Amino acid sequence: MKKINIMLIAFLALSITFVACDSDDDATPIVIEEDDDDTDDDDDGTVNFVGAVYAMTNGDGQVAGNVQGPNTIIAYGRADDGSLTPIGPFATGGNGGDYDGGEGLDPLISAYALTKTDDNENLLAVNAGSNTITSFNIAADFSLEVAGDPLDTGAIGPNSIATTGQVTVAGTKGLVYVSNITRPEFLAGGEPMHQGTVTGYWLLEDGSLQAIPGSTRDLPVRPSAVQFSPDGQWLVITAINSGASALGSGSEDEVTVYNVGADGVLSNGAWGTATSTLRDNTEGRNLPSAIGFQVVGNNYVVVTEAREFQPDGTPPAFPALQDGSVSTWQIQGDGSLTPISIDVASGEGNTGRTACWLDFTADGNTFFVSNAIEAGLAAYSFDNGVVTLLDQTAAQGTGTGGADNGPDAFAVTEGWIDMWISEDGQFLYQLYGLDGTIGVYRINGQSLELISEESNNLPDTNTQGIVAI
């Protein structure tokens, strides 16, 4: 296993030193004494970084219960050819966590455990083992500096974080909400019984966070991701255990919409809820464990759905998993959700069982969905909420190949989890959750081309969260 101490030795060997950034040039020169054939160098030996990629270790190795070791952000400078160069580890000041059975894949069962502000000035991270969140300021050289102290989230296992600059009050630059996996009274029941929360914070001008009194909302489900609508009017939450027979609340809400007030506080109750598949459906379809999603365009909610909990709501057994899917809704003026495309499969014959994350191309007409166990990316078209599967293997790594191989699946797959498309829309960065690797893909319209892989800096397991600028 590639451990953090190996990563630190590698960093020392590179002898990286930072030089002043030219304010008239978007590219940041980094002096590297040893030439690297995978990066674009100027004649003077500097590497012109045009962006950055950040990945989160989420600790490395279980310490006790759900708690992992110290959480760290691994930062990479991004060259104009998409290649990555490590520029340093940055501690969050908290611990990672594991709430997914201990096999090390997708330990928080979430999307957006790491996110950024739209202006690329701040990076926000969850510390699931410490029940805190951390805010960083992103420097001109793409290094990170912690802004203020990590703040408590008031519940167990923060796993997703969202931010918007559309809602502010005096002295703030944005609004932040974090979802928590569960509350203490539901922890022992595990995934089928978890019920979590969401809590709000102001992002201050100096990059630090300030808790918003009265902002916490208890949820009847275990949340997997939170996102704001583009206009900041709505906070959308997805759930992984909606319809579970062991869920005390009885909720079957896969997607929940709250109204966001001018004071940053959510409506007391949900304004809209929806699910693509109800318990005991006649089609025999497994229930949707919704994880990754985005709210795009005219408030279209595009959701990935792993099909895990069985039709009667009983917990998943690996051979019983079905091909995952994508479903879409549009948020109406009253917060209700109107269905558009429902249960559009991400594969066939068990080739897309764990559809869990997605990201859109720059033109908004195509998005890619990551299937974790199969270690592949599916391509979809998008037209005003209508989605169509274009290619179930737009990219393919080492996965299970659709075999019903039970626990052995985790021994053979790279475990593709979170992904993020670069700010310029040219590259997709895919985190391999069971290999400590980031795959770099060039985006060619609706297709992908593998151009490199970056290894030896992340732990092999328990990683969660990636962001590209």
Side-chain angles (χ1 to χ4, degrees), residues 165-294:
Q166 298 298 314
V167 181
T168 61
V169 296
T172 73
K173 61 177 294 187
L175 178 63
V176 172
Y177 264 83
V178 62
S179 63
N180 293 278
I181 287 170
T182 192
R183 307 195 290 279
E185 59 267 35
F186 303 112
L187 178 62
E191 177 182 339
M193 297 179 66
H194 284 168
Q195 294 181 218
T197 68
V198 289
T199 296
Y201 306 80
W202 291 116
L203 178 63
L204 305 183
E205 294 288 355
D206 65 358
S208 64
L209 297 167
Q210 181 182 83
I212 301 176
S215 64
T216 298
R217 296 290 179 266
D218 290 345
L219 304 174
V221 290
R222 171 175 169 160
S224 51
V226 289
Q227 288 281 279
F228 287 98
S229 60
D231 59 8
Q233 182 179 358
W234 311 104
L235 184 73
V236 183
I237 306 161
T238 51
I240 66 163
N241 62 348
S242 58
S245 57
L247 189 59
S249 69
S251 174
E252 295 188 62
D253 297 335
E254 170 188 356
V255 183
T256 301
V257 177
Y258 282 88
N259 182 254
V260 181
D263 59 357
V265 177
L266 304 180
S267 53
N268 287 327
W271 282 33
T273 61
T275 187
S276 69
T277 313
L278 292 171
R279 192 167 53 238
D280 298 320
N281 61 88
T282 58
E283 295 82 7
R285 194 73 166 112
N286 282 2
L287 305 182
S289 291
I291 299 183
F293 77 98
Q294 288 188 15

Side-chain angles (χ1 to χ4, degrees), residues 392-413:
Q392 68 181 47
T393 53
Q396 184 63 61
T398 301
T400 62
D404 288 329
N405 42 17
D408 292 340
F410 302 108
V412 300
T413 180

Side-chain angles (χ1 to χ4, degrees), residues 133-468:
I133 56 175
T134 300
S135 177
F136 293 92
N137 289 320
I138 301 174
D141 62 6
F142 302 114
S143 63
L144 300 175
E145 181 180 358
V146 173
D149 295 325
L151 292 189
D152 190 84
T153 65
I156 295 175
N159 66 342
S160 182
I161 194 162
T163 182
T164 178
Q166 298 298 314
V167 181
T168 61
V169 296
T172 73
K173 61 177 294 187
L175 178 63
V176 172
Y177 264 83
V178 62
S179 63
N180 293 278
I181 287 170
T182 192
R183 307 195 290 279
E185 59 267 35
F186 303 112
L187 178 62
E191 177 182 339
M193 297 179 66
H194 284 168
Q195 294 181 218
T197 68
V198 289
T199 296
Y201 306 80
W202 291 116
L203 178 63
L204 305 183
E205 294 288 355
D206 65 358
S208 64
L209 297 167
Q210 181 182 83
I212 301 176
S215 64
T216 298
R217 296 290 179 266
D218 290 345
L219 304 174
V221 290
R222 171 175 169 160
S224 51
V226 289
Q227 288 281 279
F228 287 98
S229 60
D231 59 8
Q233 182 179 358
W234 311 104
L235 184 73
V236 183
I237 306 161
T238 51
I240 66 163
N241 62 348
S242 58
S245 57
L247 189 59
S249 69
S251 174
E252 295 188 62
D253 297 335
E254 170 188 356
V255 183
T256 301
V257 177
Y258 282 88
N259 182 254
V260 181
D263 59 357
V265 177
L266 304 180
S267 53
N268 287 327
W271 282 33
T273 61
T275 187
S276 69
T277 313
L278 292 171
R279 192 167 53 238
D280 298 320
N281 61 88
T282 58
E283 295 82 7
R285 194 73 166 112
N286 282 2
L287 305 182
S289 291
I291 299 183
F293 77 98
Q294 288 188 15
V295 189
V296 298
N298 190 18
N299 284 343
Y300 297 111
V301 183
V302 185
V303 183
T304 61
E305 301 166 318
R307 295 286 174 164
E308 298 183 355
F309 281 88
Q310 296 176 69
D312 63 356
T314 54
F318 195 88
L321 297 187
Q322 298 174 352
D323 282 306
S325 56
V326 170
S327 292
T328 64
W329 293 265
Q330 187 177 33
I331 305 174
Q332 303 303 311
D334 62 357
S336 63
L337 291 159
T338 299
I340 302 174
S341 290
I342 298 298
D343 193 9
V344 182
S346 63
E348 58 184 10
N350 289 339
T351 58
R353 286 170 293 182
T354 42
C356 296
W357 299 269
L358 81 162
D359 204 0
F360 274 77
T361 56
D363 61 11
N365 296 326
T366 305
F367 63 94
F368 298 99
V369 170
S370 177
N371 292 299
I373 296 294
E374 285 71 41
L377 288 166
Y380 283 81
S381 65
F382 180 85
D383 182 9
N384 292 317
V386 176
V387 301
T388 303
L389 179 64
L390 300 172
D391 185 353
Q392 68 181 47
T393 53
Q396 184 63 61
T398 301
T400 62
D404 288 329
N405 42 17
D408 292 340
F410 302 108
V412 300
T413 180
E414 294 168 328
W416 289 14
I417 54 171
D418 307 80
M419 72 168 91
W420 202 291
I421 291 176
S422 61
E423 194 82 359
D424 57 16
Q426 296 187 54
F427 302 99
L428 183 151
Y429 293 90
Q430 175 67 59
L431 183 59
Y432 301 176
L434 291 176
D435 193 57
T437 295
I438 298 173
V440 183
Y441 287 84
R442 189 187 310 277
I443 299 172
N444 300 315
Q446 296 177 330
S447 64
L448 296 169
E449 173 193 1
L450 177 64
I451 59 173
S452 66
E453 293 179 329
E454 177 66 28
S455 299
N456 300 317
N457 303 294
L458 289 164
D460 280 345
T461 62
N462 292 305
T463 56
Q464 192 91 65
I466 191 169
V467 165

